[in-house]
Amino acid sequence: FSISSGGLRFNFNNLITYSKEMQEILCKCQEPMKKELMDGVADFAQEVFDFDRDFEENGPMVEGLEAREASDRVLLFQARFDELWRKYEVYSSGEKLFALQVNEYPILIERKKQFNLLQKLYGLYLVVNKAIDGYFELAWQDVDIEEIMAELVDFQNRCRKLPRGMKDWPAFIELKKKIDDFNEACPLLEMMANKSMKDRHWQRLEKLLGCPFEVDNDEFTLKNVMEAPLLKFKDDVEDICLSALKERDIEAKLKQVILDWGGVQLQFANFKTRGELLLKGQETQEINGLIEESLMVMNSLAANRYNAPFKKEIQLWVWRLGTTGEILESWLIVQNLWVYLEAVFVGGDIAKELPGEAKRFASIDKSWMRIMMRARMVLNVIEVCVGDEMMGQLLPHLQEQLETCQKSLTGYLEQKRLIFPRFFFVSDPALLEILGQASDSHTIQAHLLNVFENVNKVDFDEKEYDRINAFSSKEKEKIPLEREVMCLGGVETWLGNLLREVKASLGTVISNAWAFMHEPEFNLLEMMAKYPAQVGLLGLQMYWTRDAEFALVNWKYDKTLMRKTNESFLILLNTLIDQTTLDLSKWERVKYETL
């Protein structure tokens, strides 16, 4: 828009007129306002003086004043000071406006600095009190000690940052003590809040501190705990809490051992066609190894001084594990004896000769069947061994009975060996097999080499089942018996008869070989073919001895006799060497190379 030059001048003249009128009005008001300002300044100076005196006499820095009372006074005097400071700023502005000398109030500036410090101290004091009072109201179950400790560390840091001059003030001392005391109690509270604390530990604390601890009550707070003289009995409280931690570890290890053994089962093996009547040896030995490891753990727990709440259970498991180990060892011993004697007394000929022991073993066998049936039903090794007294009582009895049977059996075997001494060179199991199958004379074939040097087989008569008419060596060289042997009576008896006939028959063969050597047309190879290799070797030795002895005796009568004898021996040697170059059977080659 546009304004004409005439209108602009008119408006400017009006503004000048208005400003002159306002100046006249202000000149008329200046003196009254100035007087009012000066009267106000005078009154303000008195207020400052009165405030300063009141602050000195009744302020928060009065000596001996409690920290909480001082805190309240800080709030009260702070409000009055804020009002004075507002007036100070108003009056100072008025004095500048009227170009008067601005009054200074050094004491007011000093108090402002003091209030700044007091605000820092008592502000922190109030925050700390509010926080700690808030802690006290926390339900014990909701207490988070780590969070509280972190907040206390922050309070301590803020406390350290306060000016050095305030550190002698009662509020600072009380503040620091409150933080330090609560901080000192925090480790105890942390231990007491641990989940390892059980009713028994709280009962011990109640007895020690003389305060009830209803920790399961929802209304039980941290305040109830802090009211107890924790710091006074700090060491004892720590010991109780430490025992709770140790007991928790003991309980965990004990439970783990119990849990582990809840899953350990016996392993069974079949015995002949009678079913699962044997413990597996290797698996059972592994269980014994586990028992030793668990016993080491349990013994360490038994020696721990914090084991009181679990002592009976620890002792029980030490006994259960130790007894189980002993029973398993005894069980394997009884099992070995039972297996050994079962082959003797069940279905064998020995049972007929030892009817009393056979009857005893039959009773043992029934008990063994009952033990193994129960073990297969229960399976768990601990329950089987110590679930009741059966195993602990029955196994020693069975072992005693089996040892009695074994002793009688040993005496029986001794009698057989005295009758046929070559049985002394035969192991008990092999001898038991021989005696157990004695009713069938043909079963002796598998054991002949155990009782004879080289009798590998005997020939039975085709018509009479128990008549022996010849015997053969491992090299399949057969010699007929001069007198046939009947397998009648005990095996030890007819084996003795067989031994005598074998010796007699072999002696006859050797005599025949000796006679053959004296025939005028003696032929070495014919003797080797006609007689067994051992007899041939013996005949060759007798031939050499005879001719060598004759030459030594008669050489003085015939000077060429020694040479002729040596030549004849060389002929024999060359004949044998020539035989080894031929295509021979395995046994023939061994025979001629030996000769």
Side-chain angles (χ1 to χ4, degrees):
F1 60 90
S2 61
I3 301 175
S4 64
S5 57
L8 183 59
R9 183 175 294 279
F10 173 78
N11 288 332
F12 182 73
N13 290 332
N14 284 341
L15 179 61
I16 293 173
T17 302
Y18 179 74
S19 64
K20 289 179 179 180
E21 291 174 358
M22 290 305 300
Q23 187 176 8
E24 290 176 3
I25 294 171
L26 287 175
C27 288
K28 291 177 182 179
C29 295
Q30 182 176 1
E31 284 302 323
M33 291 181 69
K34 184 176 180 181
K35 183 177 186 307
E36 184 182 351
L37 173 62
M38 295 181 67
D39 291 342
V41 169
D43 292 339
F44 178 71
Q46 185 61 42
E47 284 184 40
V48 170
F49 176 78
D50 293 341
F51 175 81
D52 184 58
R53 184 175 61 186
D54 194 17
F55 186 84
E56 286 291 335
E57 294 176 357
N58 303 305
M61 300 178 67
V62 174
E63 244 183 83
L65 196 63
E66 292 185 1
R68 188 169 291 277
E69 175 66 22
S71 176
D72 293 339
R73 292 190 183 187
V74 166
L75 296 176
L76 181 63
F77 278 90
Q78 179 70 52
R80 291 174 59 189
F81 177 80
D82 290 343
E83 178 62 22
L84 286 175
W85 189 259
R86 186 188 64 79
K87 289 182 179 181
Y88 166 71
E89 289 178 338
V90 171
Y91 290 140
S92 295
S93 298
E95 288 173 333
K96 291 178 182 178
L97 181 61
F98 287 103
L100 299 176
Q101 181 181 357
V102 178
N103 288 293
E104 297 293 340
Y105 303 92
I107 190 62
L108 204 59
I109 303 300
E110 180 64 27
R111 293 304 181 201
K112 183 175 179 60
K113 292 179 181 178
Q114 290 179 351
F115 271 111
N116 287 336
L117 295 176
L118 288 170
Q119 281 294 341
K120 290 182 180 179
L121 173 60
Y122 286 99
L124 180 59
Y125 177 82
L126 291 175
V127 170
V128 169
N129 277 303
K130 183 179 179 181
I132 292 179
D133 290 343
Y135 300 156
F136 285 171
E137 298 304 318
L138 288 173
W140 176 249
Q141 296 176 351
D142 299 332
V143 170
D144 186 344
I145 300 299
E146 289 186 4
E147 184 179 342
I148 291 174
M149 291 178 70
E151 198 166 5
L152 287 174
V153 169
D154 180 58
F155 289 154
Q156 282 183 321
N157 292 334
R158 290 172 62 182
C159 196
R160 290 192 191 98
K161 292 178 181 178
L162 291 174
R164 188 184 301 272
M166 304 176 74
K167 295 186 178 180
D168 295 328
W169 291 9
F172 179 88
I173 295 171
E174 183 177 337
L175 173 65
K176 187 174 184 303
K177 184 177 186 303
K178 196 161 192 174
I179 295 173
D180 291 346
D181 286 351
F182 202 97
N183 205 35
E184 188 177 358
C186 276
L188 295 179
L189 295 175
E190 186 176 23
M191 296 174 74
M192 293 169 69
N194 194 285
K195 298 301 181 184
S196 61
M197 291 288 289
K198 305 296 182 184
D199 289 343
R200 60 179 178 272
H201 305 116
W202 288 108
Q203 290 169 4
R204 288 175 63 188
L205 287 174
E206 286 179 354
K207 186 176 180 181
L208 171 67
L209 303 173
C211 299
F213 291 106
E214 300 176 1
V215 290
D216 294 328
N217 190 333
D218 292 339
E219 296 180 0
F220 185 75
T221 64
L222 180 58
K223 180 180 179 182
N224 300 120
V225 177
M226 293 299 294
E227 286 174 348
L230 297 178
L231 298 179
K232 180 179 179 182
F233 297 97
K234 180 181 177 182
D235 291 342
D236 295 326
V237 173
E238 283 182 348
D239 187 59
I240 292 173
C241 295
L242 180 62
S243 69
L245 292 171
K246 297 292 185 182
E247 288 168 17
R248 181 190 63 181
D249 294 340
I250 292 172
E251 185 177 17
K253 290 180 181 178
L254 177 59
K255 284 183 177 179
Q256 187 60 50
V257 169
I258 295 173
L259 180 65
D260 290 344
W261 283 101
V264 179
Q265 296 183 348
L266 293 170
Q267 301 292 320
F268 302 96
N270 287 314
F271 178 70
K272 297 182 179 177
T273 59
R274 298 182 64 182
E276 293 182 331
L277 295 181
L278 300 178
L279 291 178
K280 289 185 177 180
Q282 182 176 352
E283 286 77 357
T284 305
Q285 292 296 339
E286 289 175 358
I287 291 175
N288 270 331
L290 293 175
I291 287 175
E292 291 180 5
E293 293 176 7
S294 295
L295 275 174
M296 290 177 63
V297 174
M298 298 307 293
N299 286 327
S300 69
L301 297 183
N304 195 310
R305 73 185 185 94
Y306 295 102
N307 69 3
F310 315 102
K311 191 168 186 178
K312 289 185 179 179
E313 192 170 9
I314 290 171
Q315 290 174 342
L316 172 63
W317 272 93
V318 167
W319 174 81
R320 296 186 82 180
L321 290 170
T323 306
T324 298
E326 293 173 1
I327 286 176
L328 288 178
E329 290 180 3
S330 176
W331 199 336
L332 290 176
I333 292 172
V334 171
Q335 176 172 290
N336 291 336
L337 287 171
W338 178 79
V339 170
Y340 174 65
L341 295 175
E342 195 271 350
V344 176
F345 290 111
V346 176
D349 294 338
I350 298 176
K352 299 174 183 177
E353 298 193 40
L354 296 172
E357 299 309 316
K359 184 177 179 181
R360 186 195 303 274
F361 185 81
S363 175
I364 294 171
D365 192 63
K366 290 179 181 178
S367 298
W368 180 258
M369 294 283 288
R370 190 167 73 253
I371 284 176
M372 298 309 294
M373 186 179 298
R374 173 181 174 272
R376 292 199 306 274
M377 290 175 62
V378 178
L379 286 179
N380 181 263
V381 63
I382 299 294
E383 292 302 318
V384 170
C385 293
V386 295
D388 54 35
E389 297 180 354
M390 177 180 175
M391 298 299 288
Q393 294 177 352
L394 189 55
L395 282 177
H397 172 71
L398 290 181
Q399 184 173 348
E400 181 183 354
Q401 294 296 306
L402 286 168
E403 287 174 349
T404 300
C405 290
Q406 187 181 31
K407 186 176 181 181
S408 299
L409 183 61
T410 302
Y412 168 75
L413 296 179
E414 186 70 18
Q415 292 175 357
K416 299 298 182 182
R417 285 178 169 127
L418 290 173
I419 294 172
F420 185 62
R422 290 202 175 196
F423 279 160
F424 281 108
F425 303 103
V426 178
S427 66
D428 284 355
L431 181 54
L432 287 171
E433 188 175 348
I434 293 171
L435 297 174
Q437 300 173 339
S439 58
D440 183 357
S441 58
H442 287 231
T443 59
I444 196 64
Q445 299 279 27
H447 305 283
L448 286 171
L449 287 175
N450 290 330
V451 292
F452 294 98
E453 179 64 26
N454 197 27
V455 176
N456 185 50
K457 181 184 176 184
V458 293
D459 292 349
F460 287 89
D461 190 85
E462 293 182 357
K463 295 181 179 180
E464 291 190 63
Y465 188 81
D466 292 324
R467 182 183 295 277
I468 300 174
N469 53 32
F471 62 95
S472 303
S473 69
K474 287 187 291 185
E475 295 78 23
K476 299 181 181 180
E477 296 175 330
K478 182 185 293 187
I479 297 177
L481 291 173
E482 284 194 327
R483 290 189 302 175
E484 297 178 342
V485 175
M486 289 296 298
C487 301
L488 300 176
V491 65
E492 69 281 3
T493 301
W494 60 259
L495 278 177
N497 295 337
L498 177 61
L499 176 62
R500 285 191 294 273
E501 292 306 318
V502 166
K503 288 180 179 179
S505 300
L506 187 59
T508 300
V509 172
I510 293 172
S511 297
N512 293 339
W514 175 256
F516 183 82
M517 285 168 33
H518 290 79
E519 292 181 2
E521 297 180 356
F522 168 74
N523 184 285
L524 176 63
L525 295 180
E526 185 179 346
M527 184 180 74
M528 291 297 105
K530 184 176 182 180
Y531 297 102
Q534 190 67 36
V535 174
L537 177 61
L538 180 61
L540 183 60
Q541 290 171 341
M542 291 189 296
Y543 182 90
W544 185 89
T545 302
R546 182 197 65 183
D547 287 4
E549 186 176 346
F550 179 82
L552 289 170
V553 171
N554 297 293
W555 67 272
K556 59 177 114 179
Y557 305 111
D558 184 355
K559 300 299 182 181
T560 63
L561 185 57
M562 291 293 287
R563 178 175 55 79
K564 291 178 180 179
T565 302
N566 185 49
E567 289 176 355
S568 68
F569 288 162
L570 288 174
I571 292 172
L572 291 178
L573 179 60
N574 290 328
T575 300
L576 294 173
I577 291 172
D578 290 342
Q579 285 298 112
T580 61
T581 63
L582 301 178
D583 185 14
L584 303 174
S585 67
K586 176 182 176 182
W587 293 115
E588 287 289 315
R589 182 165 299 282
V590 170
K591 179 173 73 173
Y592 283 109
E593 287 179 355
T594 303
L595 291 170

